[in-house]
Amino acid sequence: MKNYKQAEAKFWQGRISEDALYLHELIQLKDLTQIERAQNASVALLGYACDEGVSRNLGRPGAIEGPNAIRKTLSSLSNHWHETPLNLCDFGDLICTDQNLESHQNDTAQAASDLLKNGHFPIIMGGGHDLAYAHFKGIRKAFPKKKIGIVNLDAHFDLRDGSTEATSGTPFWQIAQEEKENFTYYCFGIQKESNSRQLFQTASDYGVRYLLNSAFNLQNWYHIQKELDQFIEEVELIYLSIDLDGFSSAYAPGVSAPSPLGFAPDVALKTIKYLVQSQKLVSVDVVELNPEYDLDNATARLASRLIYALIDAHAEVNSVKLV
């Protein structure tokens, strides 16, 4: 892979202990070109360092620096798994430096497929939401005969027509073209203000289910849970995409398209845990972190806490004993 960069220890720094108390003391730096079969529950971090899709979508560039910002804030969080059969691995970054988004997506799809085929649980850190098309292609390649459901926590459908050019706004439209009648997509957090009438019509045409941002909150959990239960029952595997611009800018100012009226972390965390507990969730990405516009690393810290929650829930489901 031409634009692959191995994981670097300099992004995993922090307080030193004698008992591996922090994630930077647990992390294993791995080579994506030499993926080994996972022997235990294995969470595989991979960076999608790219903002070409954001630029094409007329957004604010800067998401290319997202993966390393997440690593830095994840690094010092507490390790409660150091004596357990959980492997936390960093497989480095795939970097889009030549504006060739399509080639970069193909490399990412192959990487996701290779990780899944070797028994890892990928968490891919973006980067723009154009990652979703690449990520789904990788999951489909790993599981060619499975019915895969997509859950997206996002303010936007990202169903723009990508027939002329792929962008961060086209990934789910691209997936729909390839999946056709198998396209199964639920978006939580949709904002009317951020999606045109045409996009709502496209969502309807493709049978997309969605919950408006005004209803995506803990007070409405009973309804959310019913929707999730029905969705989980319909599919064999689930791919979860978390777009940080769906959160209120009070929590996530460092994104390409901030929103003051986005959803809160509490409902997102509850949804994440519920999906992991279904035991159908196979791969996740966290996208649209733009460190250039972040305030005191608030958005990077939010991203790292979401990933921490994923690791914790994955460990629990895989019967990893907490210390």
Side-chain angles (χ1 to χ4, degrees):
M1 295 181 183
K2 185 175 79 169
N3 293 321
Y4 170 62
K5 189 172 185 178
Q6 286 186 234
E8 296 182 84
K10 68 180 181 180
F11 297 113
W12 294 96
Q13 301 290 331
R15 192 186 303 271
I16 303 299
S17 72
E18 296 181 359
D19 298 307
L21 297 177
Y22 307 103
L23 292 194
H24 72 85
E25 298 175 302
L26 174 70
I27 196 75
Q28 300 174 42
L29 306 185
K30 299 287 187 177
D31 187 341
L32 188 61
T33 66
Q34 300 178 27
I35 301 173
E36 298 176 349
R37 183 73 189 173
Q39 299 302 312
N40 302 306
S42 176
V43 174
L45 303 178
L46 176 66
Y48 179 86
C50 178
D51 55 17
E52 174 62 18
V54 174
S55 295
R56 293 183 186 184
N57 200 33
L58 306 181
R60 305 187 296 182
I64 193 170
E65 301 296 335
N68 285 334
I70 294 174
R71 288 182 174 98
K72 289 176 182 178
T73 52
L74 194 59
S75 177
S76 61
L77 299 185
S78 297
N79 167 28
H80 289 277
W81 311 286
H82 90 287
E83 290 184 348
T84 69
L86 172 75
N87 293 322
L88 179 61
C89 309
D90 184 355
F91 282 88
D93 290 325
L94 292 168
I95 307 171
C96 183
T97 56
D98 52 8
Q99 298 183 310
N100 191 339
L101 176 61
E102 290 71 22
S103 175
H104 183 64
Q105 289 178 315
N106 287 335
D107 287 346
T108 303
Q110 186 61 55
S113 176
D114 290 344
L115 288 169
L116 286 163
K117 286 180 179 179
N118 281 283
H120 299 274
F121 179 70
I123 299 177
I124 306 183
M125 307 173 292
H129 214 168
D130 39 283
L131 164 58
Y133 174 61
H135 195 169
F136 184 88
K137 280 184 66 176
I139 300 170
R140 173 53 72 208
K141 188 172 184 178
F143 304 105
K145 297 181 179 181
K146 297 289 188 179
K147 184 171 183 181
I148 304 168
I150 304 166
V151 173
N152 182 25
L153 309 187
D154 197 347
H156 309 94
F157 286 118
D158 287 338
L159 285 168
R160 294 183 184 278
D161 188 325
S163 55
T164 301
E165 182 180 57
T167 74
S168 62
T170 66
F172 300 107
W173 181 91
Q174 293 173 271
I175 295 168
Q177 307 316 298
E178 298 181 6
E179 288 292 290
K180 302 188 184 307
E181 67 275 4
N182 291 321
F183 184 56
T184 310
Y185 175 35
Y186 204 131
C187 193
F188 292 85
I190 286 294
Q191 297 184 23
K192 283 187 175 181
E193 305 91 331
S194 302
N195 297 271
S196 68
R197 297 192 310 273
Q198 185 179 44
L199 286 171
F200 273 94
Q201 184 59 54
T202 301
S204 177
D205 292 343
Y206 286 117
V208 175
R209 280 167 281 183
Y210 62 89
L211 192 67
L212 292 175
N213 181 61
S214 56
F216 190 47
N217 54 64
L218 284 187
Q219 289 73 27
N220 195 36
W221 179 251
Y222 177 77
H223 175 68
I224 295 169
Q225 184 176 335
K226 285 182 63 177
E227 292 293 297
L228 288 171
D229 285 341
Q230 181 178 342
F231 188 86
I232 291 166
E233 183 66 26
E234 292 175 12
V235 301
E236 295 175 272
L237 304 175
I238 296 172
Y239 153 47
L240 171 63
S241 188
I242 305 170
D243 190 328
L244 294 166
D245 71 22
F247 291 88
S248 166
S249 54
Y251 306 106
V255 294
S256 176
S259 170
L261 300 178
F263 50 78
D266 54 4
V267 69
L269 288 167
K270 196 172 182 73
T271 303
I272 287 168
K273 186 171 183 178
Y274 201 77
L275 289 172
V276 175
Q277 289 174 337
S278 76
Q279 300 190 46
K280 292 186 177 182
L281 184 65
V282 293
S283 208
V284 182
D285 56 48
V286 180
V287 302
E288 296 288 350
L289 170 60
N290 189 330
E292 184 174 345
Y293 297 96
D294 211 358
L295 300 175
D296 195 27
N297 296 315
T299 317
R301 294 181 195 280
L302 172 61
S304 66
R305 293 302 178 97
L306 296 171
I307 291 172
Y308 190 94
L310 281 160
I311 298 169
D312 198 27
H314 183 68
E316 183 178 341
V317 164
N318 285 275
S319 301
V320 175
K321 181 182 177 183
L322 291 177
V323 295

